[in-house]
Amino acid sequence: MANCVFALLCALSSELPVPYLPVLRVDGQTVQETCLIAQYVAQQHGFGGESEIEKVLISSLTFYIESVFTKAVENFFEKDEARKETMKKKFDEEVLPAALGNLEARVTKNSAGVLAGSSITQADIHFYNTIWTLKQAQPDLLSNSPGLAALYEKVSTDSKIAAWVAKRPETQF
């Protein structure tokens, strides 16, 4: 897989502003960075937020959730077993509980039951996707977070999201 990604980057390097993936091309423009691509797609489908401050809050929450997910991915791909065990312990006992606590507090303060604004946004979708992935290893992950469990259910049953999940390709993540 790594060789494939490296070969792809080499083939595209002259066309990319910076040599990393993922890449989204729209109208001759290249957008890179997972959260920014997600932001663009969210805005195109009505999940981008209503006001400018709401959009900033959504971006902030999305990057926060992504930072937590990045730690999980780093742990997943760690080759040194001793280091991997230390990383997993810290993630499971410190990083993830702190993040879930922060997000639970935020979602329960919002009468709409979402992370920002009054309807599902990119931040909620990013939360859903991250939790969906983490739940593969920890099915009861949200058992102590009723507000987040409700948000997860709300996102999963949104007609646009449910339609995409039903047809998306199966991947490890």
Side-chain angles (χ1 to χ4, degrees):
M1 172 95 157
N3 289 339
C4 175
V5 171
F6 183 72
L8 179 60
L9 279 175
C10 288
L12 293 173
S13 65
S14 65
E15 301 174 36
L16 300 177
V18 291
Y20 67 85
L21 300 173
V23 173
L24 174 67
R25 291 195 175 153
V26 178
D27 298 332
Q29 299 295 317
T30 299
V31 180
Q32 292 175 273
E33 211 307 309
T34 301
C35 291
L36 296 177
I37 292 170
Q39 181 180 39
Y40 174 80
V41 173
Q43 289 170 348
Q44 297 303 303
H45 295 280
F47 297 110
E50 295 176 20
S51 69
E52 292 306 310
I53 191 64
E54 190 175 301
K55 290 174 184 177
V56 170
L57 291 171
I58 292 165
S59 291
S60 175
L61 287 159
T62 301
F63 279 103
Y64 175 64
I65 294 164
E66 182 65 15
S67 73
V68 173
F69 185 65
T70 297
K71 288 180 173 81
V73 171
E74 288 169 353
N75 180 43
F76 182 83
F77 286 106
E78 176 59 48
K79 299 212 183 305
D80 180 303
E81 288 302 319
R83 180 165 158 68
K84 185 174 192 155
E85 187 58 37
T86 301
M87 290 169 69
K88 182 179 180 342
K89 182 175 170 58
K90 181 174 183 174
F91 183 80
D92 289 346
E93 294 177 7
E94 297 174 30
V95 174
L96 189 55
L100 292 177
N102 290 335
L103 295 172
E104 176 74 12
R106 182 159 190 95
V107 78
T108 56
K109 279 185 186 176
N110 186 337
S111 62
V114 294
L115 292 170
S118 59
S119 61
I120 294 172
T121 67
Q122 174 195 358
D124 305 302
I125 296 167
H126 206 70
F127 163 79
Y128 167 81
N129 191 55
T130 298
I131 296 301
W132 182 91
T133 303
L134 295 176
K135 283 180 76 159
Q136 305 310 302
Q138 299 175 337
D140 63 343
L141 183 61
L142 298 177
S143 62
N144 294 322
S145 305
L148 292 178
L151 174 60
Y152 184 86
E153 181 66 19
K154 179 183 274 197
V155 174
S156 73
T157 58
D158 177 87
S159 61
K160 291 179 184 177
I161 303 301
W164 167 247
V165 170
K167 70 178 183 181
R168 72 180 173 188
E170 294 240 356
T171 66
Q172 189 171 14
F173 297 106

